[in-house]
Amino acid sequence: MKLVKVDATSSTNSYLKDYVKLNSIKAPCCLVADNQISGRGQRGTAWQSQAGKNLTFSVYLPGLEDIHKQTFKLSALVALALVKTLEKYNTPKLSIKWPNDILSRQFKIGGILIENMFNQNRAGASVIGIGLNVNQDEFPGLPKASSLKSITRSAFDLEILLKDLLVEIENIPIKFNTSSYHDVLELYYSHLFKYNKVGMYQYPDGSLIQGLLRGVDNYGRLIVEFEEDRIDSFDIKEIQIKY
């Protein structure tokens, strides 16, 4: 996979999308930044990362068939690729917090932001932004955040870790085009935080409710069961898992 390195950028996703268009890139390509100034996360949140300590990168993946119909399938495969790689480093108690935050011991160590691209024939490609807390020691004001170094008590070689991650990510198009949504979802469930467990959920207005996480539907919406057997589905901005 072609690797492009920059010292700093406001957003690796934005930079890579422009790079792909300007250079007519047709094959997988990765852009990694030593410092991402204005990284974005799900729900429009900012991704905070200390320069030179973590991995902030984006990957352009073409060749995704009918991506416009299977956006969550891709999201699940990316999260699973990160988990599979981090398991090789003996990262403890890994889980995926819906939709695609990566947790270790219930601390957030990584996040994913996917932006899909279509042409007139609906052939698909995606730009996958990944932020992974690696060697950062402190996260002021973020009690639920941590890093691989803090959790494993070992420093990581960023270049080697990136190489291992890209090996898994580069295999995603094949899995996306050949695996059924059901099979991907079953594997996703095996790592899903709070799956089939009771927990607290927060609505956008701040109110809390207790529910049982039942899974994810075909559109990637979270399925939660409440009292009196009431079951609802929620998009990303409609509910938040509290932990």
Side-chain angles (χ1 to χ4, degrees), residues 50-100:
Q50 187 176 347
K53 296 287 187 178
N54 306 308
L55 284 176
T56 50
F57 65 101
S58 293
V59 178
Y60 171 70
L61 282 185
L64 301 170
E65 299 173 2
D66 294 324
I67 179 61
H68 61 291
K69 298 179 181 178
Q70 307 180 86
T71 55
F72 189 77
K73 181 180 177 182
L74 175 63
S75 177
L77 284 170
V78 174
L80 289 167
L82 266 63
V83 168
K84 183 176 180 179
T85 303
L86 295 177
E87 285 177 338
K88 297 176 183 177
Y89 286 86
N90 298 316
T91 310
K93 297 183 178 180
L94 285 163
S95 60
I96 304 167
K97 178 175 168 283
W98 177 84
N100 47 26

Side-chain angles (χ1 to χ4, degrees), residues 137-187:
D137 294 310
E138 297 179 352
F139 298 86
L142 298 172
K144 295 292 186 180
S146 190
S147 68
L148 293 173
K149 179 184 177 184
S150 296
I151 290 171
T152 65
R153 301 189 182 280
S154 298
F156 285 70
D157 185 307
L158 295 179
E159 290 192 6
I160 293 176
L161 178 56
L162 176 62
K163 180 180 178 181
D164 289 342
L165 288 165
L166 292 180
V167 168
E168 290 298 329
I169 293 171
E170 196 165 15
N171 289 328
I172 286 176
I174 295 176
K175 295 178 180 178
F176 182 86
N177 294 331
T178 60
S179 300
S180 70
Y181 183 74
H182 176 269
D183 289 344
V184 172
L185 203 57
E186 285 299 307
L187 189 55

